[in-house]
Protein backbone atom coordinates (compact mmCIF):
# COMPACT_ATOMS: atom_id res chain seq x y z
CA UNK A 1 0.00 0.00 0.00
CA UNK A 2 1.45 3.34 -1.11
CA UNK A 3 0.31 5.24 1.99
CA UNK A 4 2.03 2.76 4.30
CA UNK A 5 5.24 2.70 2.25
CA UNK A 6 5.30 6.51 2.30
CA UNK A 7 5.06 6.42 6.09
CA UNK A 8 8.12 4.18 6.22
CA UNK A 9 10.19 6.96 4.58
CA UNK A 10 11.99 4.57 2.27
CA UNK A 11 13.48 2.55 5.13
CA UNK A 12 14.15 -1.09 4.36
CA UNK A 13 14.05 -2.15 8.00
CA UNK A 14 11.35 -2.01 10.67
CA UNK A 15 12.05 -2.46 14.35
CA UNK A 16 8.71 -3.62 15.74
CA UNK A 17 8.70 -2.58 19.41
CA UNK A 18 6.70 -2.74 22.59
CA UNK A 19 7.51 -0.95 25.85
CA UNK A 20 6.04 -1.88 29.21
CA UNK A 21 5.82 0.82 31.87
CA UNK A 22 4.99 1.41 35.51
CA UNK A 23 1.37 1.98 36.36
CA UNK A 24 1.37 5.60 37.51
CA UNK A 25 4.66 7.21 36.46
CA UNK A 26 4.70 5.47 33.06
CA UNK A 27 8.40 4.74 33.45
CA UNK A 28 9.89 2.00 31.26
CA UNK A 29 10.31 -1.45 32.81
CA UNK A 30 10.79 -3.60 29.70
CA UNK A 31 11.54 -3.44 25.98
CA UNK A 32 10.57 -6.04 23.40
CA UNK A 33 11.59 -5.78 19.76
CA UNK A 34 11.86 -7.65 16.47
CA UNK A 35 14.00 -6.32 13.63
CA UNK A 36 12.63 -7.12 10.17
CA UNK A 37 14.09 -6.65 6.70
CA UNK A 38 11.52 -5.56 4.12
CA UNK A 39 11.00 -6.35 0.47
CA UNK A 40 11.67 -2.90 -1.05
CA UNK A 41 8.98 -3.39 -3.71
CA UNK A 42 6.06 -4.59 -1.59
CA UNK A 43 7.05 -3.53 1.92
CA UNK A 44 6.42 -7.07 3.17
CA UNK A 45 8.63 -8.72 5.76
CA UNK A 46 11.35 -10.68 3.98
CA UNK A 47 13.15 -11.94 7.09
CA UNK A 48 13.39 -11.15 10.78
CA UNK A 49 15.85 -11.58 13.62
CA UNK A 50 15.23 -13.55 16.80
CA UNK A 51 13.26 -11.32 19.19
CA UNK A 52 14.93 -8.99 21.70
CA UNK A 53 13.77 -8.51 25.29
CA UNK A 54 15.32 -6.64 28.19
CA UNK A 55 14.09 -5.51 31.59
CA UNK A 56 14.69 -1.94 32.76
CA UNK A 57 15.14 -0.91 36.39
CA UNK A 58 12.66 1.86 37.17
CA UNK A 59 13.01 4.57 39.79
CA UNK A 60 9.27 4.37 40.60
CA UNK A 61 7.07 1.53 41.81
CA UNK A 62 5.44 -0.69 39.21
CA UNK A 63 1.88 -0.91 40.53
CA UNK A 64 -0.28 -3.99 41.15
CA UNK A 65 -2.30 -3.68 37.92
CA UNK A 66 0.84 -3.76 35.78
CA UNK A 67 2.33 -6.60 37.83
CA UNK A 68 -0.82 -8.66 37.29
CA UNK A 69 -0.99 -7.72 33.60
CA UNK A 70 2.65 -8.28 32.63
CA UNK A 71 4.03 -10.57 35.32
CA UNK A 72 6.90 -8.12 35.81
CA UNK A 73 7.58 -7.30 39.45
CA UNK A 74 10.12 -5.42 41.57
CA UNK A 75 12.17 -8.55 42.29
CA UNK A 76 12.54 -9.29 38.58
CA UNK A 77 13.81 -5.77 37.91
CA UNK A 78 16.29 -5.96 40.78
CA UNK A 79 17.64 -9.31 39.59
CA UNK A 80 17.40 -8.99 35.80
CA UNK A 81 16.92 -5.30 35.08
CA UNK A 82 19.50 -2.91 33.65
CA UNK A 83 19.63 0.87 33.54
CA UNK A 84 17.60 2.80 30.97
CA UNK A 85 20.80 3.81 29.17
CA UNK A 86 22.10 0.24 29.04
CA UNK A 87 18.74 -1.03 27.76
CA UNK A 88 18.71 1.44 24.86
CA UNK A 89 22.34 0.73 24.03
CA UNK A 90 21.54 -2.98 23.90
CA UNK A 91 18.56 -2.23 21.63
CA UNK A 92 20.83 -0.27 19.30
CA UNK A 93 23.37 -3.12 19.33
CA UNK A 94 20.56 -5.58 18.49
CA UNK A 95 19.57 -3.49 15.45
CA UNK A 96 23.19 -3.15 14.33
CA UNK A 97 23.82 -1.19 11.15
CA UNK A 98 20.05 -1.06 10.54
CA UNK A 99 19.52 1.24 13.54
CA UNK A 100 19.88 4.43 11.51
CA UNK A 101 18.02 2.98 8.53
CA UNK A 102 14.83 1.70 10.09
CA UNK A 103 11.35 2.72 11.17
CA UNK A 104 10.52 2.12 14.85
CA UNK A 105 6.98 0.81 14.86
CA UNK A 106 4.72 0.41 17.89
CA UNK A 107 1.04 -0.34 18.39
CA UNK A 108 -0.38 2.89 19.78
CA UNK A 109 1.34 6.05 21.00
CA UNK A 110 1.60 4.98 24.65
CA UNK A 111 5.06 3.53 23.99
CA UNK A 112 6.38 6.96 23.03
CA UNK A 113 4.83 8.38 26.19
CA UNK A 114 6.74 5.76 28.18
CA UNK A 115 9.96 6.73 26.40
CA UNK A 116 9.38 10.44 27.05
CA UNK A 117 8.45 9.91 30.69
CA UNK A 118 11.49 7.71 31.30
CA UNK A 119 13.75 10.39 29.87
CA UNK A 120 12.45 12.82 32.51
CA UNK A 121 13.59 10.42 35.25
CA UNK A 122 17.05 9.98 33.77
CA UNK A 123 19.10 13.16 33.46
CA UNK A 124 21.89 11.20 31.84
CA UNK A 125 20.21 9.38 28.95
CA UNK A 126 21.39 8.38 25.44
CA UNK A 127 20.12 11.43 23.54
CA UNK A 128 21.16 10.19 20.09
CA UNK A 129 19.37 6.85 20.49
CA UNK A 130 16.19 8.43 21.86
CA UNK A 131 16.18 11.06 19.13
CA UNK A 132 16.58 8.44 16.41
CA UNK A 133 13.62 6.44 17.73
CA UNK A 134 11.39 9.49 18.15
CA UNK A 135 12.29 10.87 14.72
CA UNK A 136 11.51 7.62 12.89
CA UNK A 137 8.56 6.47 14.98
CA UNK A 138 5.40 5.06 13.35
CA UNK A 139 2.16 4.35 15.22
CA UNK A 140 0.71 1.32 13.46
CA UNK A 141 -2.53 1.38 15.45
CA UNK A 142 -3.34 4.86 14.13
CA UNK A 143 -2.63 3.67 10.59
CA UNK A 144 -4.58 0.40 10.53
CA UNK A 145 -7.56 1.83 12.44
CA UNK A 146 -8.22 4.13 9.50
CA UNK A 147 -9.20 1.04 7.49
CA UNK A 148 -10.38 -1.45 10.12
CA UNK A 149 -12.53 -0.60 13.17
CA UNK A 150 -14.99 -2.41 15.40
CA UNK A 151 -18.76 -2.01 15.05
CA UNK A 152 -18.65 1.11 17.23
CA UNK A 153 -15.98 2.79 15.12
CA UNK A 154 -13.16 2.15 17.58
CA UNK A 155 -9.70 0.67 16.87
CA UNK A 156 -9.24 -3.03 17.58
CA UNK A 157 -6.76 -4.34 20.13
CA UNK A 158 -3.60 -6.16 19.07
CA UNK A 159 -5.23 -9.47 20.06
CA UNK A 160 -8.40 -8.74 18.06
CA UNK A 161 -6.41 -7.82 14.95
CA UNK A 162 -4.69 -11.20 15.28
CA UNK A 163 -8.11 -12.86 15.46
CA UNK A 164 -9.40 -10.92 12.45
CA UNK A 165 -6.47 -12.00 10.27
CA UNK A 166 -6.54 -15.58 11.58
CA UNK A 167 -3.12 -15.26 13.19
CA UNK A 168 -1.99 -17.45 16.06
CA UNK A 169 -0.61 -15.31 18.86
CA UNK A 170 3.12 -15.72 19.43
CA UNK A 171 2.68 -16.24 23.17
CA UNK A 172 1.16 -14.62 26.23
CA UNK A 173 -0.07 -11.06 25.67
CA UNK A 174 1.75 -8.18 27.40
CA UNK A 175 5.09 -9.93 27.16
CA UNK A 176 6.90 -7.16 25.23
CA UNK A 177 8.70 -9.47 22.80
CA UNK A 178 5.47 -11.39 22.13
CA UNK A 179 3.58 -8.16 21.43
CA UNK A 180 6.36 -7.05 19.07
CA UNK A 181 6.14 -10.35 17.15
CA UNK A 182 2.34 -10.11 16.96
CA UNK A 183 2.65 -6.56 15.62
CA UNK A 184 5.02 -7.76 12.90
CA UNK A 185 2.59 -10.51 11.89
CA UNK A 186 -0.35 -8.07 11.76
CA UNK A 187 1.72 -5.64 9.66
CA UNK A 188 2.47 -8.39 7.15
CA UNK A 189 -1.10 -9.78 7.20
CA UNK A 190 -2.51 -6.36 6.34
CA UNK A 191 -0.38 -6.27 3.18
CA UNK A 192 -1.23 -9.82 2.09
CA UNK A 193 -4.97 -10.03 2.88
CA UNK A 194 -6.10 -7.33 0.46
CA UNK A 195 -9.65 -8.67 0.00
CA UNK A 196 -10.24 -8.82 3.75
CA UNK A 197 -8.89 -5.29 4.22
CA UNK A 198 -11.11 -4.04 1.38
CA UNK A 199 -14.24 -5.55 2.93
CA UNK A 200 -13.35 -4.14 6.35
CA UNK A 201 -12.69 -0.70 4.87
CA UNK A 202 -16.07 -0.73 3.12
CA UNK A 203 -17.69 -1.38 6.51
CA UNK A 204 -15.84 1.63 7.92
CA UNK A 205 -17.01 3.80 5.01
CA UNK A 206 -20.62 2.73 5.53
CA UNK A 207 -20.69 4.73 8.76
CA UNK A 208 -21.46 8.45 8.21
CA UNK A 209 -18.45 10.73 8.52
CA UNK A 210 -19.30 13.91 10.41
CA UNK A 211 -16.15 15.60 9.10
CA UNK A 212 -17.43 15.55 5.51
CA UNK A 213 -20.30 17.58 4.02
CA UNK A 214 -23.46 15.50 4.34
CA UNK A 215 -23.97 14.96 0.55
CA UNK A 216 -20.42 13.64 0.20
CA UNK A 217 -20.70 11.47 3.31
CA UNK A 218 -24.06 10.04 2.14
CA UNK A 219 -22.69 9.27 -1.32
CA UNK A 220 -19.70 7.44 0.14
CA UNK A 221 -21.98 5.43 2.45
CA UNK A 222 -24.25 4.51 -0.49
CA UNK A 223 -21.31 3.44 -2.67
CA UNK A 224 -19.65 1.45 0.13
CA UNK A 225 -23.00 -0.28 0.73
CA UNK A 226 -23.15 -1.40 -2.91
CA UNK A 227 -25.66 1.17 -4.19
CA UNK A 228 -24.88 2.94 -7.47
CA UNK A 229 -25.10 6.71 -7.30
CA UNK A 230 -25.45 8.71 -10.52
CA UNK A 231 -23.85 12.09 -11.15
CA UNK A 232 -27.35 13.56 -11.33
CA UNK A 233 -28.31 12.19 -7.91
CA UNK A 234 -25.12 13.59 -6.42
CA UNK A 235 -25.78 16.99 -8.02
CA UNK A 236 -29.33 17.03 -6.64
CA UNK A 237 -28.07 16.21 -3.15
CA UNK A 238 -25.59 19.08 -3.42
CA UNK A 239 -28.35 21.48 -4.52
CA UNK A 240 -30.49 20.42 -1.56
CA UNK A 241 -27.53 20.86 0.78
CA UNK A 242 -26.84 24.36 -0.54
CA UNK A 243 -30.49 25.50 -0.60
Amino acid sequence: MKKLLKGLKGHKYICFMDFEGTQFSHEMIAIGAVLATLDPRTGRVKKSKAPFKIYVRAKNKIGKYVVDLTGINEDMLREQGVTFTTALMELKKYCGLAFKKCTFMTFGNHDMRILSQTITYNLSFPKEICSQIQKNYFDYSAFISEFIKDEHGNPLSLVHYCELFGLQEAGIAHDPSVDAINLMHIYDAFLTNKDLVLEQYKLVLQKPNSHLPSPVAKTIVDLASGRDVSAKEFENSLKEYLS
Side-chain angles (χ1 to χ4, degrees):
M1 175 182 279
K2 292 179 181 178
K3 182 173 183 177
L4 178 56
L5 295 180
K6 183 179 180 181
L8 299 180
K9 302 177 182 178
H11 293 149
K12 64 177 183 177
Y13 303 99
I14 295 178
C15 183
F16 297 94
M17 300 192 310
D18 179 66
F19 299 154
E20 299 295 339
T22 56
Q23 185 172 342
F24 301 109
S25 63
H26 304 289
E27 188 181 357
M28 188 181 295
I29 58 174
I31 300 174
V34 181
L35 181 68
T37 304
L38 306 181
D39 181 317
R41 184 178 58 85
T42 64
R44 288 199 58 197
V45 173
K46 193 160 63 173
K47 62 179 180 179
S48 62
K49 289 185 69 172
F52 168 91
K53 182 166 73 172
I54 196 165
Y55 295 109
V56 185
R57 290 198 298 270
K59 293 179 169 59
N60 295 280
K61 295 294 182 182
I62 298 176
K64 185 178 184 304
Y65 175 80
V66 171
V67 171
D68 293 342
L69 190 70
T70 66
I72 302 171
N73 57 47
E74 303 288 349
D75 290 339
M76 289 176 63
L77 296 191
R78 276 193 294 269
E79 295 169 8
Q80 304 177 48
V82 299
T83 65
F84 176 55
T85 294
T86 299
L88 290 185
M89 289 175 66
E90 288 298 316
L91 175 65
K92 181 181 179 182
K93 187 187 298 184
Y94 167 77
C95 293
L97 295 175
F99 184 77
K100 291 189 175 181
K101 305 174 184 177
C102 76
T103 296
F104 297 91
M105 186 173 288
T106 66
F107 189 79
N109 60 14
H110 185 61
D111 300 87
M112 289 301 103
R113 182 184 181 191
I114 289 174
L115 180 62
S116 297
Q117 287 293 101
T118 309
I119 287 171
T120 67
Y121 293 111
N122 294 269
L123 297 178
S124 175
F125 67 94
K127 295 180 176 63
E128 182 184 353
I129 296 175
C130 293
S131 175
Q132 189 71 17
I133 293 172
Q134 291 169 324
K135 180 176 68 175
N136 294 307
Y137 159 67
F138 188 100
D139 178 356
Y140 194 71
S141 176
F143 168 79
I144 195 172
S145 65
E146 181 180 342
F147 306 97
I148 304 173
K149 302 179 188 288
D150 67 14
E151 63 272 19
H152 303 296
N154 300 314
L156 275 64
S157 67
L158 197 66
V159 170
H160 288 135
Y161 278 119
C162 284
E163 291 175 357
L164 177 69
F165 287 113
L167 301 171
Q168 183 173 355
E169 292 179 63
I172 299 173
H174 303 295
D175 177 304
S177 60
V178 169
D179 286 352
I181 295 169
N182 287 337
L183 176 56
M184 177 178 67
H185 291 165
I186 291 168
Y187 166 90
D188 214 43
F190 179 88
L191 291 173
T192 56
N193 292 270
K194 295 181 180 179
D195 289 341
L196 174 60
V197 172
L198 175 61
E199 290 307 310
Q200 289 293 318
Y201 190 35
K202 285 163 66 177
L203 292 176
V204 171
L205 293 175
Q206 286 176 36
K207 299 184 183 299
N209 187 332
S210 60
H211 299 294
L212 294 173
S214 59
V216 178
K218 182 180 184 305
T219 299
I220 291 174
V221 170
D222 287 342
L223 291 171
S225 303
R227 179 178 177 273
D228 291 333
V229 179
S230 69
K232 186 64 177 176
E233 286 177 306
F234 182 56
E235 183 178 344
N236 287 339
S237 67
L238 290 177
K239 288 179 179 178
E240 182 179 346
Y241 179 67
L242 294 171
S243 62

